Amino acid sequence: QATRRHLDELEQKYSVSIERVSPVKPITLTVKETGYPFLSKFASDRIYSLQRNGFDFMSTNSYEEDEAKYPKCHSRIMWWHNINRSITYNIAKYKLLKEFMSKHPPEFLVSSKCCYYSKKRPAQLFMKTHNGDLNIIGTRKAEGGVRRFTQNCFTHNVREDYAVYRPIFWFTSQDKAAYEQIFGVTHSECYTTYGLKRTGCAGCPYSPRLFSELGIMKRFECGLLRAAESVFAPVYEYTR
C-alpha cells in the first residue's frame, strides 16, 4: 500500500499520469501452473530444468554419469556438480544447498516464471502497445546482483524493436544521495517508515532478507503478509 500511495504522490508532485499495468497472469495462477520462486532466478531456473527432466536429487551419480543420463540438461548438470569455473554459476554459491536438497528434494515445482508473467512480459507488451522505441529504466550497476554484469548504460535490444537506456547506471550511492538532495527526490514509506533496504514483489522468496521483510510486513501490512503466506507457504517452509 505504501507503493500505491507513493505513485499517487508522484502524480501530484510532477503533474503526470502513471499508467498501472496488470500482470499477464496473477501470481497465484503462476505458481500453481509453473512453480514457486526459490532463492534466486538463476537457481530456480536450474532447479526447474532438472525437475522437468526427472532428475534424481538423491542420486550419488558422478558428473559423467549424470551427463549421460540427462543429455538435455548439460548446463544444469554442470551447476549441480560445481563444474563451472566461477562459483557464481555453481550450486556451491549457496552453502550446503546441494547437501540439503540431496536429503530433502523439493516436493513442489520450482520455477523462475513468476517474474516473467508479473513484470517482464507486461513490460514487453506495454512497449509494443505504445509503439515505444526506447525503454528507460532506473537500475544502477552499484546495486550489485545481476546488474553488475551489465556492461553499459545503453543496449540495443536485438530481440525487440526498442533500445534500453539506464540514465543513472553509473551513479554510486554517494552520487544518488547528492542527486536526491539537489532535486528534492522523495521516497515511499517502504523506505522512510517501514525500513526496507530494497523493494520488489512483496514477500518474494528471492529476497536475501526474506524473513526480516516478512517481519516488517507483519508490523505494517498484516493483510499483505497473510496473502503472501497463503501463496508462498511451501517455499517459505522449505527456505526455513
Side-chain angles (χ1 to χ4, degrees), residues 143-215:
E143 290 178 278
V146 295
R147 293 174 176 84
R148 73 180 187 275
F149 295 111
T150 302
Q151 297 301 312
N152 212 325
C153 63
F154 185 85
T155 307
H156 287 284
N157 195 334
V158 296
R159 296 183 180 180
E160 305 289 349
D161 295 328
Y162 57 84
V164 179
Y165 176 48
R166 309 169 188 87
I168 62 171
F169 185 66
W170 299 108
F171 277 30
T172 64
S173 295
Q174 290 76 19
D175 295 331
K176 176 174 169 287
Y179 186 94
E180 291 170 350
Q181 183 177 4
I182 293 170
F183 291 98
V185 175
T186 55
H187 296 288
S188 80
E189 292 174 283
C190 287
Y191 299 102
T192 60
T193 302
Y194 295 8
L196 292 170
K197 296 184 180 297
R198 297 282 290 271
T199 59
C201 298
C204 176
Y206 287 153
S207 174
R209 296 170 290 274
L210 172 61
F211 297 112
S212 66
E213 290 178 3
L214 293 181

Side-chain angles (χ1 to χ4, degrees), residues 80-95:
W80 178 257
H81 285 279
N82 297 305
I83 299 299
N84 294 294
R85 289 185 177 182
S86 172
I87 193 173
T88 300
Y89 302 105
N90 292 328
I91 192 173
K93 176 183 178 180
Y94 304 97
K95 187 177 180 180

Side-chain angles (χ1 to χ4, degrees), residues 14-238:
Y14 297 110
S15 299
V16 296
S17 176
I18 299 174
E19 184 171 344
R20 280 71 163 170
V21 180
S22 299
V24 173
K25 285 185 182 181
I27 191 66
T28 50
L29 183 60
T30 300
V31 297
K32 182 179 180 180
E33 291 183 350
T34 65
Y36 293 84
F38 173 59
L39 283 185
S40 71
K41 293 179 186 177
F42 188 80
S44 292
D45 177 71
R46 266 54 193 163
I47 297 170
Y48 173 80
S49 295
L50 291 173
Q51 287 181 318
R52 291 296 293 265
N53 283 274
F55 183 76
D56 181 5
F57 292 93
M58 301 180 75
S59 170
T60 57
N61 284 351
S62 66
Y63 165 67
E64 290 76 16
E65 290 172 326
D66 279 338
E67 270 280 272
K69 189 174 181 180
Y70 308 100
K72 295 182 179 180
C73 285
H74 175 67
S75 63
R76 279 58 176 168
I77 295 299
M78 290 181 68
W79 176 77
W80 178 257
H81 285 279
N82 297 305
I83 299 299
N84 294 294
R85 289 185 177 182
S86 172
I87 193 173
T88 300
Y89 302 105
N90 292 328
I91 192 173
K93 176 183 178 180
Y94 304 97
K95 187 177 180 180
L96 299 179
L97 176 61
K98 181 177 180 179
E99 290 79 358
F100 176 78
M101 293 186 69
S102 295
K103 292 183 178 180
H104 311 281
E107 297 180 356
F108 54 89
L109 186 63
V110 174
S111 170
S112 62
K113 300 292 184 181
C114 59
C115 285
Y116 175 78
Y117 290 116
S118 296
K119 296 190 292 186
K120 183 174 288 188
R121 187 55 183 158
Q124 292 171 342
L125 293 175
F126 181 88
M127 292 295 291
K128 185 176 182 179
T129 301
H130 292 75
N131 196 29
D133 59 8
L134 183 66
N135 185 16
I136 302 175
I137 57 177
T139 56
R140 295 185 302 119
K141 193 177 184 73
E143 290 178 278
V146 295
R147 293 174 176 84
R148 73 180 187 275
F149 295 111
T150 302
Q151 297 301 312
N152 212 325
C153 63
F154 185 85
T155 307
H156 287 284
N157 195 334
V158 296
R159 296 183 180 180
E160 305 289 349
D161 295 328
Y162 57 84
V164 179
Y165 176 48
R166 309 169 188 87
I168 62 171
F169 185 66
W170 299 108
F171 277 30
T172 64
S173 295
Q174 290 76 19
D175 295 331
K176 176 174 169 287
Y179 186 94
E180 291 170 350
Q181 183 177 4
I182 293 170
F183 291 98
V185 175
T186 55
H187 296 288
S188 80
E189 292 174 283
C190 287
Y191 299 102
T192 60
T193 302
Y194 295 8
L196 292 170
K197 296 184 180 297
R198 297 282 290 271
T199 59
C201 298
C204 176
Y206 287 153
S207 174
R209 296 170 290 274
L210 172 61
F211 297 112
S212 66
E213 290 178 3
L214 293 181
I216 291 173
M217 289 169 65
K218 183 177 182 180
R219 181 180 176 188
F220 292 100
E221 299 199 18
C222 293
L224 189 58
L225 174 63
R226 288 193 294 271
E229 288 180 332
S230 69
V231 172
F232 296 123
V235 73
Y236 283 172
E237 180 60 29
Y238 195 68

